[in-house]
Amino acid sequence: MSNEVRSLNEECGVFGIWGHPDASRVTYFGLHSLQHRGQEGAGIVSNDSGKLNGTRGLGLLSEVFKDERHLNQLTGHAAIGHVRYATAGTGSVDNIQPFLFKFYDGDFALAHNGNLTNAKSLRKTLEQNGAIFHSNSDTEILMHLIRRSQKETLCERMKEALNTVKGGFAYLMMTKDSMVAALDPNGFRPLSIGQMVNGAYVVASETCALEVVGATFIQDVNPGEIITINDEGLTVEQFTKDTQHAICSMEYIYFARPDSNIAGVNVHSARKNMGRILAQEAEIDADMVVGVPNSSLSAASGYAEESGIPYEMGLVKNQYVARTFIQPTQELREQGVRMKLSAVRGVVAGKRVIMVDDSIVRGTTSRRIVNLLKEAGAKEVHVRIASPPLRYPCFYGIDIQTRKELIAANHSVEEIREVIGADSLSFLSEDGLIHAIGLNFDAPYSGLCMAYFNGDYPTPLYDYEEHYQATLKEKMSFL
Amino acid sequence: MSNEVRSLNEECGVFGIWGHPDASRVTYFGLHSLQHRGQEGAGIVSNDSGKLNGTRGLGLLSEVFKDERHLNQLTGHAAIGHVRYATAGTGSVDNIQPFLFKFYDGDFALAHNGNLTNAKSLRKTLEQNGAIFHSNSDTEILMHLIRRSQKETLCERMKEALNTVKGGFAYLMMTKDSMVAALDPNGFRPLSIGQMVNGAYVVASETCALEVVGATFIQDVNPGEIITINDEGLTVEQFTKDTQHAICSMEYIYFARPDSNIAGVNVHSARKNMGRILAQEAEIDADMVVGVPNSSLSAASGYAEESGIPYEMGLVKNQYVARTFIQPTQELREQGVRMKLSAVRGVVAGKRVIMVDDSIVRGTTSRRIVNLLKEAGAKEVHVRIASPPLRYPCFYGIDIQTRKELIAANHSVEEIREVIGADSLSFLSEDGLIHAIGLNFDAPYSGLCMAYFNGDYPTPLYDYEEHYQATLKEKMSFL
Amino acid sequence: MSNEVRSLNEECGVFGIWGHPDASRVTYFGLHSLQHRGQEGAGIVSNDSGKLNGTRGLGLLSEVFKDERHLNQLTGHAAIGHVRYATAGTGSVDNIQPFLFKFYDGDFALAHNGNLTNAKSLRKTLEQNGAIFHSNSDTEILMHLIRRSQKETLCERMKEALNTVKGGFAYLMMTKDSMVAALDPNGFRPLSIGQMVNGAYVVASETCALEVVGATFIQDVNPGEIITINDEGLTVEQFTKDTQHAICSMEYIYFARPDSNIAGVNVHSARKNMGRILAQEAEIDADMVVGVPNSSLSAASGYAEESGIPYEMGLVKNQYVARTFIQPTQELREQGVRMKLSAVRGVVAGKRVIMVDDSIVRGTTSRRIVNLLKEAGAKEVHVRIASPPLRYPCFYGIDIQTRKELIAANHSVEEIREVIGADSLSFLSEDGLIHAIGLNFDAPYSGLCMAYFNGDYPTPLYDYEEHYQATLKEKMSFL
Amino acid sequence: MSNEVRSLNEECGVFGIWGHPDASRVTYFGLHSLQHRGQEGAGIVSNDSGKLNGTRGLGLLSEVFKDERHLNQLTGHAAIGHVRYATAGTGSVDNIQPFLFKFYDGDFALAHNGNLTNAKSLRKTLEQNGAIFHSNSDTEILMHLIRRSQKETLCERMKEALNTVKGGFAYLMMTKDSMVAALDPNGFRPLSIGQMVNGAYVVASETCALEVVGATFIQDVNPGEIITINDEGLTVEQFTKDTQHAICSMEYIYFARPDSNIAGVNVHSARKNMGRILAQEAEIDADMVVGVPNSSLSAASGYAEESGIPYEMGLVKNQYVARTFIQPTQELREQGVRMKLSAVRGVVAGKRVIMVDDSIVRGTTSRRIVNLLKEAGAKEVHVRIASPPLRYPCFYGIDIQTRKELIAANHSVEEIREVIGADSLSFLSEDGLIHAIGLNFDAPYSGLCMAYFNGDYPTPLYDYEEHYQATLKEKMSFL
């Protein structure tokens, strides 16, 4: 999927380090490798002998931390950071994490990746009991639960709070004397731990961040785990035993960086496998295989290798796309003015093209790319999607919460083919996807969350239950 | 070549349009597709019924033209634009083009891609005769020559001026009633003409810009041609008959966008051919082929296809690299902190890797990438370069003017292999390169400039003659 | 007092309006006239049919609201705004007001001018009961008290909260259906109400803001009053009956704009009276009276009129002083390089000058100005201060909380004269000040707070009690 | 005249220094004190052992030189700087001075205050001979004349050039080995020389800049002088003997800072005299004298002293007026929303006010201020203008070049009174002005230029001759 019309959005990435003299700077580099998980805001909080200092702002990491001075203020041997994706319109700095709290009994910072399914009701109950929220982010809820817990120790309070929130969450917290990571009981979001040569512990949403800072992978944070890191070392505990793997399959398909491993599986290799199995499932004779840059290149090369059809660069993406780019007017667009993605006439003209993409959300992007290829002279365009049709919303951290937007929720494959103008269209099967990724947890779908494809949500939906029923009704109205 | 340490720099890209109601906006999109040719500054001058208005500034196009207002001021049916690469330290807006001049007898604007070989002596002579220069750019020289010419018509004066300057140049000019494009007698730099559906003529450094604005390719500007476009249409003339093709081979190897065609040859296809021929010339047994992103991906896939060795994504480039990015300290670098390029451990660990890159300049980048792969567990790294060794400076528009920087000017292939730490190293042969591109002009090297590889400059070097002799002496001192 | 070294800082200004179609824009102009009360940050919250929207930022009002778009988003018929002075180092946007809260049962916004004397203990108690603070401002405390109150109605809850906080405060609040203003039981800070021609009610820290938006003065908010404005009109209630006027005398002396009236007394006229009485109390023969621009010009002209000695412009202030101005190095300063204030050699050379200033804090500024005048050739410089010596800290909203900084707390008038290098020095007497302002409330000092001069604080000091004792001890150690 | 609608605009200020290790920083402070002479752009060029470096930009000095780094680059023992006023719309950085030229035989920088009367014809002639201009500023002309001169030495060439340009000019130039100041044969613009304690020579448009950098006044640059300052010291020469003083009277009335001396006369004192004589010429019974801030305060205090009527602060100007301030809508303006200037109701209500202003240009500002005072309750407003009626355009450096804008060119005093709504109106007489300033050069009007008042231009008007005749005709059409 090109991001010409980006429709699936990850909510965040987190990075933390304990035990390094240049902790905030290492965090900066770690976050930089997670920038693909959120481009709307970024922040870092450092811990200098128990005193926490933070900086956060709207925009890319390099816009928030413009020069050395921004990092030099964040002194200390530990730090946590966050990159955030925010839905349009709510772009207030108040929502940018990590949140930093200054209590009379010590500072506390909090960063979060995921989405809670009982946030709305928890928030209302808390407000009715005098709680004051300063953002419209779910993340503050955990802080209130911790502060209101009657348990003796901070760790006990955290565990109680973690058992109260529901849904998908990966939390990274900084107290005055420790860094704490916790993952929801299904492990929807990836979270891994590594160690640098100097002994510093590192926590990150993806293993690519471990590589980038030169850290060695130690372990994934497992579902239901709370891991405390401090000057004594690393302690792993379970805040709940009631766990079952349901790793977000979209991480493998689209979100994660190809150089990351999730649950031990390399993302690029998984994608290449998706392409290979797709080639087996949906063979067709053609002159070339073309991947939609950048996220579909692995799948496309897998398809090409398996099919023996040459892989060609039939689409080129402009690498200088800025977020503030001026858009073509409708008139210019009709005259053929393009911006971000170009079809390569010299390559595709007169040829039968297999166009491999990772997913179809609304169908508008696919239609545009098929059209680009045809305008550049492609004789045939056969679209091959390296994942099953997206038919159900996600409530665990991906920004699609209504079925109205999902073309496959309301249309058959043949209808979609017609909408996007392709000569043929095939999706990877659910089994093909599961097989391509190749997890083998003792859980449904070998440990993957397949809810977007089949509506089989691994948890109750709480506050979204009603919403979900409504979206089902929406669907009815379409049929 | 990754741009971690970018060492070869194109000087510019130009774009112009005549006959469109939204001329400056089309120019913006055309320039955007040429942004890879220059990132230090950009400008647009529009022509509104003979009155020229311009905006220019330092930075990327999207930084100079931050919002609609910047374009809305540039009214008129015609416009020319420029993106500029500038050597560090001279980052003054005075040097950003197009240059706009307001004469009592009419406005004039001028944009330039290339490098003159007699600029220094022309400038001195002109100053001795009262000329005042406002930039340290070569480009102003043409303006002075035109204004001082005693010829009757503006066109005659332009021709005289074009016959006075020497070296590599592609000029794009705007007078009150026409747009004029001109190319040096060797055609070092690409320059093409297209037409939009509404009839508007478009001139661009690369054909990718024609595609992006929906224009159909009409013709390349040929060596020694001056092409005038006005409300009457397009007129092609020769300012000199003494021409001979010597197209910059680095355009095919590295600079141009893969979706551009130069002299009718698609750049991606040429690069894929370079990879294929390299596979024939420098075969080796290995587990995978890995291209250095982004410019070497075409050559790497050609190598993979020809050799039958699978193509893998063993290197990943962070797409969020900003120009103002904070750098890791030396200490962090030693601890393994990386920024822009990562090797994919999950892919390369334990494997024999063929690493394909487009060129080697200083050798530092290659050494770093080989090292990345080895640190990520690659068992063997065999480097294959899809072009011949760079041994001689360029005086026609590429920013390398001393041999000291060129590792291949001073070391044997075996020495370079040792420096970069590869298990083996091979370069494409000169014949392989010429064959891969496949031009067939009646000129040496089928119409390519091969001077960087063999020192066979297709023109006298004028002001650089002495400089060139000195660089040869430098070489001696190394031997 | 020139602001070359500004030492007394007001904490804030507030402005609100109810019942105007362009409420946020009127608020902008109202705040602009209060900019002298705080230059470190500004914000506006508007009420659009019960939904509150806000913008706030660091810097001057014109920096926070850079163009029309910033105001156009703040739709609605009511708005409140705030300009803030913040002590150095705490310059985080988190502290900029109005604070905007989004509760499940309605939005709420809050702005504050003043300083609480029991903030620290209230905050600790609240945190121990689960409250979470997001700023280090006192202002949030009232919000927590309101939300935690068990009273039935919002108005009852506000009253309870207002009776819990102690010290100096002028609050301006916006609920979904009303605007509420409240003043502490001593009325330390000014707060006035007016009405525009269209019937809209306006609340402002100073009456100059009423004038600037074309509103007619209705009444001052009196000590202990809570005034609710909504679509039904204006309701005045008392949250406490235990009130006694103690209006901050520094408002008359230095903070307020000369065109404001406080408790019916025009500030310029009060200052001119201070100058007149000072001339009676501290007569001296001289050639001219010179005021320190800008705040001492009224007092100086009063002195001149009373004494019959001509008023001259012997000091000129550069009106282009930016907050980010580059400072002269120590070396240049020693060579005589000045920036903000210049003595006019052509006026003062050879003359006996009476220099009138409004106050002396540290003495450094006075020393510098006396020195400027002498370097410009003044034969004698007689310093006349139009207020009594500042000897005690303020705990109600002025940013001086330690006696160490106050030269008059630790030195006799003769010692100060020597420090500042004046030929003679006199201060206005306490009686003179009270007489010049001319209030006649049935309260000590006719209703003025004179604590800075005589330590007679009109309230208990709560959390500052210990601090205050310490500053007394400090004083001992000086003696 | 308040600058609510500023109508008279000075064109520039210059400052230069030779022989100081921190030359560019001293220039920064010097320029800062000249900021009132131009707010649209600023620049500094320094001389480091013959190599010139420069920075310039749009906006206030503090916006162009944002931090130390901007100054630290401008190394060297000498520097010249410029602040510029530019007419709206031409706000291009290309016009900001000093202009810096890099010739093969040495660098050269040039700054200019004034206006040439033969610029248009000189420019056309130069262009016809091959000259290329890069700005639409007159200033470049001198550079072309110098470079094209056939004289032997640079100094001879400068003299020839200075004799070719006509009109009002104060030039400050920097060559590789000297700083050169030159003034037109009438000395329209002020230009003075001073010396710092370390021996460094300083040149500045006003003496206030000498004071600000701690320099002692040495001499004014006299009409027709060219003064060369280098390591050998200071050399004064005449480039023409045909000189006659005609100092711009508006410098005394409005432009210059009150602390400057021009031709030995202090500006504040001159203004106070204007007020005194005005009180004699136009006596009236009233309750108070009010000056329009800031430029009329001196004249108002003179009027008050002479008449014995008390001087009051009846008008207050908001000191936080930013150039980018958001304006009230027409609707708000009608409702009484004001921004920059407020009348003080508590002072003027019910009173007979004498409002003293320095000049009337269009009359719109005066009407607004009279209206402000009346709305604030003034019973009568008697306007007294401390200069004669402005009836003729200026061609020597003040930005009024057509009579259409000048209300006094087309209306009688009684008509103006009616337009501005005053109860009475009087202007200072021409003799009163000349007497108040008190020059005694052997020249018409004692050495003042009185052309704005009586059309008696001290020079031929060259290119403006026709224009001037046209403006006379305009006048006819009004009558």
Side-chain angles (χ1 to χ4, degrees), chain A residues 103-124:
Chain A
F103 297 110
Y104 77 97
D105 54 356
D107 300 351
F108 196 102
L110 180 55
H112 175 224
N113 172 26
N115 192 61
L116 303 185
T117 47
N118 63 341
K120 203 177 154 193
S121 43
L122 283 176
R123 184 169 176 143
K124 184 172 176 186

Side-chain angles (χ1 to χ4, degrees), chain B residues 6-13 37-41 82-88 397 399:
Chain B
R6 177 180 276 250
S7 300
L8 292 185
N9 289 293
E10 176 61 51
E11 301 247 327
C12 302
R37 298 182 74 84
Q39 297 98 44
E40 299 295 320
H82 189 267
V83 288
R84 173 181 164 86
Y85 162 77
T87 51
D399 183 38

Side-chain angles (χ1 to χ4, degrees), chain B residues 103-104 127-128 134 140, chain D residues 94 103-104 127-128 134 140:
Chain B
F103 297 109
Y104 77 97
E127 287 195 355
Q128 284 170 331
H134 288 257
E140 271 187 278
Chain D
D94 290 338
F103 297 109
Y104 77 97
E127 286 196 356
Q128 283 169 332
H134 288 258
E140 270 186 280

Side-chain angles (χ1 to χ4, degrees), chain B residues 238-363:
Chain B
Q238 291 286 134
F239 62 85
T240 176
K241 291 268 160 79
D242 185 12
T243 66
Q244 185 170 64
H245 273 95
I247 301 175
C248 173
S249 49
M250 289 306 294
E251 293 278 354
Y252 289 104
I253 295 168
Y254 171 63
F255 292 137
R257 251 175 59 157
D259 52 336
S260 290
N261 292 352
I262 303 174
V265 173
N266 174 257
V267 170
H268 160 69
S269 302
R271 288 178 189 166
K272 200 161 177 186
N273 283 342
M274 295 173 205
R276 278 202 193 97
I277 295 175
L278 181 61
Q280 293 161 2
E281 292 181 353
E283 207 185 345
I284 191 149
D285 194 27
D287 299 313
M288 63 181 62
V289 176
V290 167
V292 176
N294 292 329
S295 58
S296 308
L297 301 184
S298 298
S301 76
Y303 194 106
E305 266 182 43
E306 182 70 19
S307 66
I309 300 171
Y311 175 80
E312 297 289 348
M313 192 180 285
L315 292 165
V316 170
K317 194 176 155 186
N318 191 321
Q319 60 179 309
Y320 295 98
V321 173
R323 290 182 309 148
T324 57
F325 206 75
I326 296 170
Q327 299 299 318
T329 58
Q330 182 53 29
E331 217 170 337
L332 290 180
R333 215 172 278 133
E334 280 162 18
Q335 290 170 37
V337 173
R338 309 280 168 235
M339 277 184 48
K340 297 178 187 167
L341 201 63
S342 301
V344 187
R345 181 179 302 275
V347 167
V348 303
K351 298 297 167 52
R352 296 167 302 163
V353 174
I354 298 172
M355 165 189 145
V356 176
D357 204 350
D358 50 39
S359 55
I360 292 183
V361 181
R362 291 193 188 82

